[in-house]
Amino acid sequence: MSFFDEGSHVKITPHVDVSAFANALQNRQTFVVPAPSPRMVQAMARQAQQSYLPLNPAALSTKPMSFKLPSSGSTITASSPQSAFAPLHPKELSSFISKPSTLVLDIRPHGQYHKSRIHGAINLAVPSTLLRRPAFSLDKLCSMLPDAKDQKVFQHWNSAEVIIVYDADSTVLSDVSNVQSLLNKLKAAEAPGRLCYLFGGINAVAACEVAGL
């Protein structure tokens, strides 16, 4: 088993001196790694489970995460424990964007938004640091919109039946995703409508040749 280069190898032994281990790392020499006891292995496993499992273990899925855009009409599933928001297939857009009760939010930079966008979407090009800041409320977010008409549309977030958030190409959300950060903020504000994100972003819409850009 190589480590750093072909001239370094790992040997398993019950004991190792910490200083010798550090020197071996620095000099790219052969070093020994302590074999953990069964009790240590169990403790490490418990710690890993506590660090990565969600608060509700029932929310875990054993199905693998899929990144391929499914065909229209099929159900999209993303077994990501970090996200509680449903993905929306691009070909389902037409049934939502024509309704006045749907709020569509584009979080891409202004330049990309002006080149192409979903019909009726308003642009929320806000820095990720602000989106993740709990004290940065939806009212403050609304005040950053340069267009008064967009501000008026966004103010109806608390009465929208469906809120769709999209970026360029997100398929699975994570804690560092701006899409999820905005959805989390809407959820924390108790938005009554269905919160979802566009699977594959606007790039998927273009690939599926969906009308509405």
Side-chain angles (χ1 to χ4, degrees):
M1 178 178 177
S2 62
F3 185 84
F4 287 120
D5 54 43
E6 295 180 356
S8 300
H9 300 278
V10 178
K11 294 181 181 179
I12 303 300
T13 188
H15 302 286
V16 66
D17 180 68
V18 175
S19 59
F21 177 79
N23 291 333
L25 284 176
Q26 183 176 4
N27 299 324
R28 302 296 195 273
Q29 298 174 349
T30 299
F31 60 90
V32 291
V33 179
S37 65
R39 180 176 298 179
M40 183 183 299
V41 172
Q42 294 175 359
M44 292 170 64
R46 286 195 299 268
Q47 183 177 6
Q49 291 176 346
Q50 293 173 358
S51 300
Y52 293 101
L53 285 180
L55 294 178
N56 181 13
L60 283 177
S61 173
T62 58
K63 296 182 180 179
M65 190 178 297
S66 175
F67 296 90
K68 183 178 180 181
L69 186 65
S71 59
S72 176
S74 60
T75 301
I76 300 176
T77 57
S79 57
S80 172
Q82 294 98 341
S83 176
F85 306 106
L88 181 71
H89 192 285
K91 290 192 175 182
E92 295 180 275
L93 270 177
S94 58
S95 62
F96 289 100
I97 60 176
S98 59
K99 299 178 180 179
S101 58
T102 298
L103 178 62
V104 185
L105 305 176
D106 184 326
I107 64 169
R108 296 175 302 151
H110 294 296
Q112 296 180 20
Y113 171 80
H114 288 294
K115 287 182 180 180
S116 62
R117 57 191 176 274
I118 305 299
H119 178 71
I122 61 176
N123 188 216
L124 292 176
V126 180
S128 57
T129 52
L130 294 180
L131 285 177
R132 299 191 189 106
R133 189 176 300 171
F136 191 75
S137 65
L138 293 177
D139 289 337
K140 292 181 180 179
L141 183 61
C142 182
S143 66
M144 293 187 66
L145 293 173
D147 193 320
K149 181 179 178 181
D150 288 346
Q151 290 185 7
K152 185 176 181 180
V153 173
F154 183 74
Q155 288 173 350
H156 291 100
W157 63 265
N158 55 0
S159 60
E161 294 181 3
V162 178
I163 301 178
I164 304 171
V165 180
Y166 73 89
D167 58 3
D169 55 9
S170 288
T171 55
V172 177
L173 305 186
S174 66
D175 291 337
V176 297
S177 166
N178 285 353
V179 174
Q180 174 149 313
S181 296
L182 179 54
L183 289 171
N184 283 337
K185 195 172 291 292
L186 288 163
K187 182 180 179 180
E190 298 182 353
R194 172 188 173 189
L195 303 177
C196 55
Y197 69 97
L198 183 60
F199 187 89
I202 197 170
N203 290 350
V205 177
C208 293
E209 298 181 354
V210 180
L213 285 179

